[in-house]
Amino acid sequence: MAIRIEDVEFGLDSFGDVATDGGRVMSDAETLRLLVDEARLAEHVGLDAFSVGEHYRDGMVDSATPVILAAIGQATSTIGLGTSVTVLSTQDPVRLYQQFATVDGLSGGRAHLVLGRASATESFPLFGYDIAEYEQLFEEKLDLFLRLMREDRVTWTGGYRAPLQDVRLHPRMPEGGIPAWIGIGGSPDSVIRAARHGLPLMMAIIGGRPERFAGHAELYLRALEQFGHPELPIGQHSLGFVADTDEEAKDTHWRHWQPVVEALGRERGFYPPTLERYRQEVDSGALYVGSPQTVARRIAAVVRANHLSRFDLKYDVLHLPRDARETSIRLFGERVVPLVRELLHDDPGEWRLTGRAPAEIVKGGTAVHA
């Protein structure tokens, strides 16, 4: 299955990380307005999508994602407007449908979603949900949200919200809904879920060799076939930063990445972020940091390895200067993406299955995996 170069899309992801300007920490309001400016710049340099996450913690201003996307929609005209994650488990699917139907209508049909279970769990206590019901919440709410997108009228009963009786929501999404991906962090169960529901797969790869996810792509394509769905897109979300030279990119990014990962390490038990390990992640892991030539070569390689039709770069890091953010966006759109396309044109590669026996998708009503 050869990769069709014209189908590969490139986007930017933001978690609303607060920026700095001239050494001054920008306010939350200033950072929100900066996101609109950066999305406008992303469109100007030819990128396909600009996506915003959903978090509820200090240093991030992306908690009201549909509002941010609606503002971006009015400041742009062509770029896709998405979520780098929507924490469906703690959302009301009815309100989520209405919010994104509104964003889609206001933007002329440019909205899309990545639906996830959440790696950061602050929204569970904030909105009164039990983290012990993590899996059940997501399954039930995904079922309802997809029915609302795919059916004209919905009658539904579940355990986590009031029942619906012959409900038709407004404003309406286009027939069949808007593009919605399932975001995964590495769980084969999530891969199978995406295939079972016939949804595209977005792989969040933030550490280790990205090529190890080729097995997830293989499982997904086999699962799609066994569930009777056509082949659907596979995307990758990864962190990165682009500067004129490799050393400039690594030095700048490390200064801001290190304290963030150090804080997460204390919170979640991650390894201490040493400079040696950081450089390993940059050289062969999941950090796409460097000059345009370096970043382009690494992206082209992972597009081939993981059978990608979309690559999204998370470009913001807490307190990264706004001028560095702007430079990274410009270089990514103006130099990295064109070079990736050239590299894929010269050597499109051939994505091959590994030779393992096809996975049996369901056994006794339970998903099983190779």
Side-chain angles (χ1 to χ4, degrees):
M1 292 176 283
I3 296 164
R4 296 182 298 183
I5 297 163
E6 64 273 16
D7 292 341
V8 181
E9 295 184 337
F10 298 91
L12 291 174
D13 286 350
S14 170
F15 287 177
D17 293 83
V18 171
T20 56
D21 187 9
R24 177 184 65 86
V25 176
M26 298 175 67
S27 69
D28 288 357
E30 289 173 318
T31 301
L32 285 168
R33 294 192 292 271
L34 178 62
L35 288 178
V36 177
D37 292 340
E38 289 174 340
R40 188 186 295 115
L41 175 60
E43 179 176 270
H44 177 73
V45 299
L47 295 173
D48 299 298
F50 189 91
S51 300
V52 180
E54 180 194 342
H55 297 84
Y56 302 88
R57 58 192 307 150
D58 290 343
M60 295 179 176
V61 298
D62 59 342
S63 58
T65 312
V67 181
I68 299 171
L69 294 177
I72 291 172
Q74 295 306 292
T76 59
S77 58
T78 60
I79 196 166
L81 310 174
T83 65
S84 45
V85 63
T86 292
V87 185
L88 183 59
S89 305
T90 55
Q91 291 273 0
D92 176 5
V94 172
R95 291 298 291 148
L96 189 67
Y97 177 99
Q98 292 166 330
Q99 289 166 345
F100 277 87
T102 301
V103 172
D104 196 60
L106 289 171
S107 66
R110 291 185 279 144
H112 60 267
L113 290 154
V114 174
L115 304 170
R117 294 183 297 171
S119 58
T121 58
E122 292 85 358
S123 63
F124 283 80
L126 185 63
F127 297 117
Y129 289 100
D130 186 351
I131 192 66
E133 298 175 322
Y134 182 88
E135 188 73 21
Q136 300 95 311
L137 282 163
F138 187 79
E139 280 287 356
E140 178 175 300
K141 294 191 176 195
L142 179 62
D143 172 69
L144 176 54
F145 186 69
L146 292 180
R147 288 194 58 188
L148 291 169
M149 287 211 301
R150 292 170 173 174
E151 300 175 18
D152 187 58
R153 293 183 177 274
V154 173
T155 296
W156 177 92
T157 301
Y160 297 102
R161 61 150 292 129
L164 303 177
Q165 181 64 41
D166 195 30
V167 166
R168 190 174 193 268
L169 299 180
H170 296 278
R172 299 298 300 163
M173 286 184 180
E175 185 176 355
I178 64 173
W181 305 60
I182 291 291
I184 72 159
S187 166
D189 289 326
S190 296
V191 174
I192 298 300
R193 179 184 291 111
R196 175 162 49 87
H197 287 288
L199 297 174
L201 183 72
M202 180 63 72
M203 304 186 295
I205 306 178
I206 59 173
R209 291 185 66 255
E211 294 79 6
R212 77 190 192 280
F213 276 71
H216 290 71
E218 173 190 345
L219 175 63
Y220 174 66
L221 293 177
R222 286 177 166 161
L224 283 173
E225 183 177 3
Q226 293 193 29
F227 282 120
H229 297 300
E231 182 174 333
L232 294 169
I234 299 171
Q236 178 175 323
H237 154 100
S238 288
L239 285 61
F241 177 72
V242 191
D244 288 324
T245 68
D246 288 343
E247 286 309 309
E248 179 187 358
K250 286 185 278 191
D251 290 347
T252 300
H253 191 255
W254 163 255
R255 288 198 304 272
H256 299 89
W257 181 88
Q258 185 269 342
V260 171
V261 177
E262 188 173 72
L264 284 174
R266 290 192 298 268
E267 177 184 314
R268 303 183 188 181
F270 292 170
Y271 66 80
T274 66
L275 184 56
E276 179 183 3
R277 283 174 169 167
Y278 172 79
R279 290 185 175 271
Q280 290 173 353
E281 282 292 335
V282 169
D283 292 341
S284 59
L287 292 178
Y288 292 80
V289 176
S291 67
Q293 295 81 4
T294 295
V295 174
R297 285 195 297 270
R298 295 208 58 227
I299 292 175
V302 82
V303 167
R304 299 185 192 107
N306 287 350
H307 195 56
L308 303 180
S309 58
R310 178 166 163 182
F311 182 93
D312 285 355
L313 186 78
K314 184 191 180 292
Y315 70 95
D316 55 355
V317 181
L318 185 63
H319 297 162
L320 184 67
R322 66 178 299 166
D323 58 349
R325 290 163 58 135
E326 177 181 344
T327 297
S328 186
I329 293 170
R330 287 190 182 278
L331 290 175
F332 185 64
E334 294 176 348
R335 296 181 59 188
V336 173
V337 170
L339 184 52
V340 173
R341 295 193 187 280
E342 288 180 20
L343 292 169
L344 292 175
H345 182 272
D346 293 341
D347 179 15
E350 185 74 18
W351 193 89
R352 295 182 176 87
L353 300 180
T354 64
R356 294 197 300 266
E360 184 178 10
I361 302 304
V362 177
K363 184 175 182 180
T366 303
V368 295
H369 317 293

